[in-house]
């Protein structure tokens, strides 16, 4: 288990728990928990990751996160998104190693929970990471069982579904309702 409260950062103004609390809030807005489940070239490709992408002028905070977590990689794109002419160069912190996801990222967000709707993403993603880790820990390389494959595909579908926008009817939309009146 990774002990977040015992981490000392040389270059950070925030240490231990306070940085972890900050990171949980930051990840709720800027982070992405993703799963990969696709069939290509006759094989199922399964994977997971956690990433934070920002404009490249925010690279210093990604370096601070990288130093704090002691895992993952940082990449910088000098070109913006070709689909958006107004996009700027970007930087991304990403963790894709299943072991690091299971032993660092999952315990971080279990100890310092996400407080926004991204917590639903995390719960689904965490189950998929546990499944990927369990399969990867087998001493003998074996194929995925049919139930494991079906569960992973189900988790990929669940993550897609939970991210769909759901329209909410607010009390303010009712005629005659005024807040504080």
């Amino acid at each position: 288990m990774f002990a977040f409260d015992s981490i000392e950062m040389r270059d950070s103004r925030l240490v231990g728990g306070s940085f972890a609390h900050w990171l949980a809030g930051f990840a709720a807005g800027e982070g992405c928990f993703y799963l990969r489940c696709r069939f290509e070239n006759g094989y199922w490709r399964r994977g997971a990751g956690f990433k934070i992408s920002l404009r490249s002028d925010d690279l210093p905070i990604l370096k601070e996160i990288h130093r704090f977590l002691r895992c993952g990689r940082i990449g910088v794109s000098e070109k913006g998104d070709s689909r958006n002419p107004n996009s700027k160069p970007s930087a991304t912190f990403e963790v894709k190693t299943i072991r690091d996801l299971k032993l660092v990222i999952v315990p971080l967000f279990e100890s310092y929970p996400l407080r926004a709707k991204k917590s639903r993403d995390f719960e689904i993603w965490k189950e998929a990471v546990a499944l990927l880790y369990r399969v990867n820990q087998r001493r003998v390389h074996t194929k995925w069982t049919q139930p494991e494959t079906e569960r992973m595909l189900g988790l990929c579908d669940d993550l897609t579904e939970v991210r769909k926008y759901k329209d909410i009817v607010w009390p303010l939309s009712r005629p005659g309702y005024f807040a504080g009146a």
Side-chain angles (χ1 to χ4, degrees):
M1 189 85 157
F2 199 76
F4 289 98
D5 291 326
S6 67
I7 291 176
E8 292 183 22
M9 294 181 59
R10 285 169 274 174
D11 300 330
S12 178
R13 290 162 280 152
L14 301 170
V15 292
S18 60
F19 189 83
H21 280 292
W22 173 86
L23 180 53
F26 192 71
E30 301 293 338
C32 175
F33 299 100
Y34 66 87
L35 297 174
R36 184 181 68 202
C37 305
R38 65 176 178 238
F39 194 76
E40 57 183 45
N41 300 326
Y43 295 97
W44 277 105
R45 306 282 185 214
R46 301 168 192 91
F50 169 72
K51 69 180 176 178
I52 299 172
S53 295
L54 303 170
R55 290 183 351 179
S56 62
D57 56 355
D58 280 325
L59 181 60
I61 194 60
L62 295 179
K63 288 181 177 180
E64 199 165 341
I65 292 167
H66 184 250
R67 275 193 307 273
F68 178 74
L69 294 174
R70 300 179 186 164
C71 67
R73 294 179 180 248
I74 294 176
V76 178
S77 169
E78 294 302 322
K79 296 179 181 177
D81 184 346
S82 62
R83 296 168 293 178
N84 180 354
N86 296 321
S87 69
K88 305 293 182 225
S90 63
T92 300
F93 166 75
E94 186 170 21
V95 181
K96 295 192 289 188
T97 307
I98 299 302
R99 183 178 190 282
D100 289 339
L101 295 172
K102 173 73 172 157
L103 301 178
V104 178
I105 304 301
V106 168
L108 170 69
F109 293 114
E110 286 179 331
S111 296
Y112 301 92
L114 298 157
R115 306 251 184 241
K117 63 183 176 263
K118 198 158 288 173
S119 64
R120 299 181 310 225
D121 295 13
F122 174 70
E123 291 302 319
I124 295 165
W125 177 87
K126 176 175 74 170
E127 185 180 341
V129 167
L131 177 58
L132 287 160
Y133 185 79
R134 196 169 47 250
V135 170
N136 287 350
Q137 291 300 303
R138 293 181 184 152
R139 291 185 183 263
V140 178
H141 181 70
T142 58
K143 293 183 179 181
W144 282 59
T145 65
Q146 186 68 27
E148 288 169 338
T149 297
E150 289 173 3
R151 184 63 192 139
M152 187 67 184
L153 292 172
L155 290 167
C156 289
D157 290 344
D158 291 350
L159 189 58
T160 300
E161 188 61 33
V162 78
R163 289 179 172 164
K164 290 182 180 175
Y165 180 78
K166 292 162 185 71
D167 201 11
I168 299 171
V169 178
W170 296 95
L172 293 175
S173 64
R174 284 189 255 151
Y177 180 85
F178 294 98

